[in-house]
Amino acid sequence: MKEYLFTSESVTEGHPDKVCDKISDKILDEALKVDPDSHMAVEVTIKDNLVFIYGEANTKANLDYEKIANWVLNDIGYHEQYQFLIKISKQSEEINEAVVKEDQKIGAGDQGIMFGYACDETENYMPLPIVLAHKLAYQLTLVRKNDPNTFLLPDGKSQVTVLYQNDKPVKVTTIVLAAQHKKEVSSEELKSFLVKNVIEKVIPKELIDSDTEIIINGAGSFTIGGPYGDSGTTGRKIVVDSYGGMARVGGGCFSSKDPSKVDRTAAYYARYVARNIISHQLAHRVEIGLAYVIGKEKPVSIFIDTFGTEIVPLKEIYDYVYHNFDFSVTNMIEELDLKRPIYYDLAAYGHFGRKGYSFEWDKK
């Protein structure tokens, strides 16, 4: 029997890197509300109470970056007074001319490689470890926000290890939670509360047993968190944002980037194609690899890997992809309806397999 362990992690929206992702994507959303053709790449770095907002913006929207950032910080649960350093310029004319074509077609905003992945081990076609890690992180936030008198604070992490047998998940062997908290709560009280209100609400009973190890705040107390515990920067959680390490990552982040940026759009479209391959029962696992060149409308390569799980010949899968999907930048944007202000909700808890949201790349 083939047997192995696989681990994925997630973080809450109060993690300093996610704070920056959410500010960047809220800025993008505010631009798209006014000007759907906005070209944005505005990133954020935070440390203590200093917020640095910087990058490029070509938009008709009149954006108050400080006001937007303060709204996000308050929405997450950080209510300190912040200082802001803002450095925004227009997108390079050379890049803009390469992206916007005279025939209204859109060229790729940069070169790069992107990957999409899907599998049939969960109902949302995502790997089980990252699904459970995201659910734990989201439940941690939900419990905090639903109780105004809670001892929980915004920062937090989750990690889940799953035992696979013959490439099928069979049980959870380790659950890790790191939850920022107020000083007055004891470690015993915190652990008991989180097991009952977070872990038991998320992890299916059939996946855990008496041997499942639960580790909560393994380093001890966690009272200093968020930007006071560590610095944060947009785009540093690309594995959390995608497939939890189960699939390749292209290297480019999603947050802050408008739809002309193929780091984001092609990764979404690759997920869309992969999901359709699985939902049409052509394979049990599949990864789609794409490569683009700046200014070019279509990819220079398309790669499909089923990891030996194909149900039909691989050539039929390639034929299915080539005959049913258009990887041009213009089409990907239009087919997935990406010029909408939808990105703030995506900036934490994963960009794929999201329930309750109208994201076209997770439909078949």
Side-chain angles (χ1 to χ4, degrees):
M1 179 184 293
K2 180 182 178 183
E3 192 171 87
Y4 57 90
L5 299 173
F6 195 89
T7 303
S8 293
E9 71 158 348
S10 184
V11 298
T12 68
E13 62 195 50
H15 184 282
D17 290 331
K18 278 290 146 209
V19 170
C20 295
D21 284 344
K22 288 186 76 71
I23 294 173
S24 290
D25 277 340
K26 184 63 175 177
I27 289 169
L28 174 60
D29 279 355
E30 293 302 309
L32 293 175
K33 284 179 185 178
V34 176
D35 179 8
D37 293 317
S38 297
H39 288 169
M40 305 292 292
V42 176
E43 301 182 1
V44 178
T45 291
I46 190 169
K47 178 59 181 134
D48 296 341
N49 68 334
L50 177 63
V51 182
F52 183 24
I53 303 174
Y54 53 96
E56 296 80 44
N58 274 14
T59 181
K60 296 175 183 176
N62 184 18
L63 301 174
D64 186 334
Y65 295 101
E66 183 174 330
K67 182 178 180 180
I68 294 169
N70 269 318
W71 183 92
V72 172
L73 288 158
N74 185 73
D75 185 52
I76 291 171
Y78 292 120
H79 306 295
E80 292 83 356
Q81 293 293 317
Y82 290 90
Q83 298 176 353
F84 294 88
L85 178 60
I86 298 172
K87 185 68 174 178
I88 308 291
S89 61
K90 281 194 171 185
Q91 184 183 61
S92 160
E93 289 298 326
E94 295 170 322
I95 295 175
N96 190 63
E97 289 173 6
V99 171
V100 182
K101 306 295 184 180
E102 291 182 0
D103 58 4
Q104 301 304 308
K105 299 293 185 182
I106 298 175
D110 202 350
Q111 70 176 50
I113 56 175
M114 305 85 206
F115 293 94
Y117 179 87
C119 60
D120 61 7
E121 65 187 62
T122 61
E123 64 178 11
N124 64 354
Y125 303 103
M126 290 288 287
L128 182 62
I130 191 63
V131 168
L132 296 178
H134 282 323
K135 285 184 176 181
L136 286 171
Y138 182 72
Q139 181 68 13
L140 189 59
T141 296
L142 204 62
V143 169
R144 172 178 63 86
K145 286 191 168 183
N146 284 343
D147 181 3
N149 299 312
T150 184
F151 47 72
L152 294 174
L153 296 171
D155 200 355
K157 289 184 176 182
S158 63
Q159 186 170 287
V160 177
T161 301
V162 174
L163 172 67
Y164 282 78
Q165 293 177 344
N166 293 330
D167 293 324
K168 299 294 182 182
V170 295
K171 66 170 287 188
V172 173
T173 62
T174 308
I175 300 167
V176 180
L177 278 181
Q180 186 189 9
H181 59 88
K182 296 178 181 177
K183 292 181 179 180
E184 57 263 29
V185 63
S186 69
S187 58
E188 293 79 13
E189 183 183 2
L190 180 70
K191 181 172 182 177
S192 176
F193 179 85
L194 293 180
V195 167
K196 179 180 179 181
N197 293 281
V198 177
I199 293 174
E200 291 182 356
K201 298 290 185 183
V202 166
I203 307 296
K205 291 182 180 179
E206 63 270 18
L207 289 179
I208 58 176
D209 58 26
S210 58
D211 293 327
T212 300
E213 185 177 15
I214 296 175
I215 302 169
I216 294 177
N217 286 5
S221 63
F222 182 11
T223 60
I224 301 172
Y228 284 88
D230 197 2
S231 61
T233 294
T234 299
R236 289 206 297 205
K237 287 290 177 282
I238 58 176
V239 174
V240 171
D241 287 344
S242 53
Y243 305 99
M246 189 68 79
R248 298 177 180 94
V249 293
C253 73
F254 304 147
S255 290
S256 83
K257 296 175 180 175
D258 72 84
S260 73
K261 311 295 193 301
V262 283
D263 279 333
R264 177 169 228 155
T265 295
Y268 290 175
Y269 200 77
R271 161 66 179 175
Y272 174 59
V273 175
R275 193 188 191 286
N276 273 273
I277 289 172
I278 301 303
S279 66
H280 286 83
Q281 299 182 334
L282 304 180
H284 296 291
R285 289 174 64 200
V286 68
E287 185 177 75
I288 309 294
L290 305 173
Y292 286 81
V293 176
I294 188 167
K296 301 298 182 182
E297 190 183 357
K298 295 187 176 183
V300 295
S301 70
I302 300 174
F303 171 72
I304 301 174
D305 189 354
T306 60
F307 310 95
T309 71
E310 63 268 21
I311 300 168
V312 302
L314 192 56
K315 182 180 183 304
E316 289 188 23
I317 297 176
Y318 269 99
D319 289 342
Y320 167 75
V321 170
Y322 285 131
H323 292 152
N324 289 279
F325 299 97
D326 179 354
F327 293 86
S328 66
V329 179
T330 300
N331 177 73
M332 292 190 299
I333 292 171
E334 292 177 354
E335 191 172 353
L336 300 183
D337 195 13
L338 295 180
K339 291 185 178 183
R340 296 177 291 154
I342 57 175
Y343 300 104
Y344 182 67
D345 286 333
L346 281 167
Y349 317 112
H351 290 245
F352 308 116
R354 300 288 293 269
K355 274 191 172 183
Y357 292 88
S358 181
F359 300 137
E360 298 297 325
W361 55 91
D362 265 318
K363 298 179 180 179
K364 61 181 179 179

